[in-house]
Amino acid sequence: AGVMSLSVGISVIGGAAGSSVQQVGTGLLAGSLKAAAVPDPALVPWVQKAGSLCPTFPASVIAAQMQTESGWNPAAVSPAGAEGIAQFMPATWPVYAQDDAGDGQPSPLNAIDGIMAAGRYECALVAQEGELAASSGVPVLSLALAAYNASPQAVAAAGGIPPYPETESYVASIEALSTRK
């Protein structure tokens, strides 16, 4: 997963008075997705559905992640072999793949399947990184994003966000993009 230029603003509705986002607990972002944040209106309900799978990853974060991962391009393939709108590596895809689009062929190159699989994967990463978040004080959202980008093994080895410029930028970009009003 690479960091891309962020040209589409992801907006949230809600948040604490005087701030752009409400922080709750360890890295939980409150806010609802504005439909304009998703370039293809047909994907809005899917981003909302993926964002409802676990409270740490609301739709605003899922949308920011799709923007960062692929610029919303369902046909994107990275030099490392990551595929689709959510940039799944071929070894990771089967674990989280389902036929959400209902076409009989789950594919990381299908935007609906990719968005929903990303939501499932992020929820699994939240569960996996919860203990480290509690012991390190690093928000679980940040650790889960780092694990999505660098791998859960890299996060465990680093005892937090790995000191890789790409991963540090990835986490910061998604967190900033997802909290814009």
Side-chain angles (χ1 to χ4, degrees), residues 20-129:
S20 61
V21 70
Q22 179 180 3
Q23 293 285 342
V24 181
T26 56
L28 182 65
L29 299 174
S32 299
L33 180 71
K34 284 187 178 178
V38 181
D40 180 350
L43 296 179
V44 170
W46 296 102
V47 172
Q48 291 172 328
K49 186 173 180 179
S52 72
L53 297 177
C54 63
T56 303
F57 275 85
S60 59
V61 177
I62 297 289
Q65 190 173 26
M66 297 307 101
Q67 173 63 33
T68 302
E69 286 290 346
S70 67
W72 295 97
N73 179 0
V77 178
S78 79
E83 299 176 321
I85 198 166
Q87 291 291 278
F88 269 93
M89 292 300 290
T92 306
W93 171 252
V95 179
Y96 302 97
Q98 291 182 19
D99 184 18
D100 295 287
D103 63 3
Q105 299 182 355
S107 170
L109 301 175
N110 179 300
I112 293 168
D113 292 345
I115 290 166
M116 292 303 298
R120 287 187 286 276
Y121 185 31
E122 286 296 9
C123 291
L125 291 171
V126 165
Q128 183 174 339
E129 301 302 338

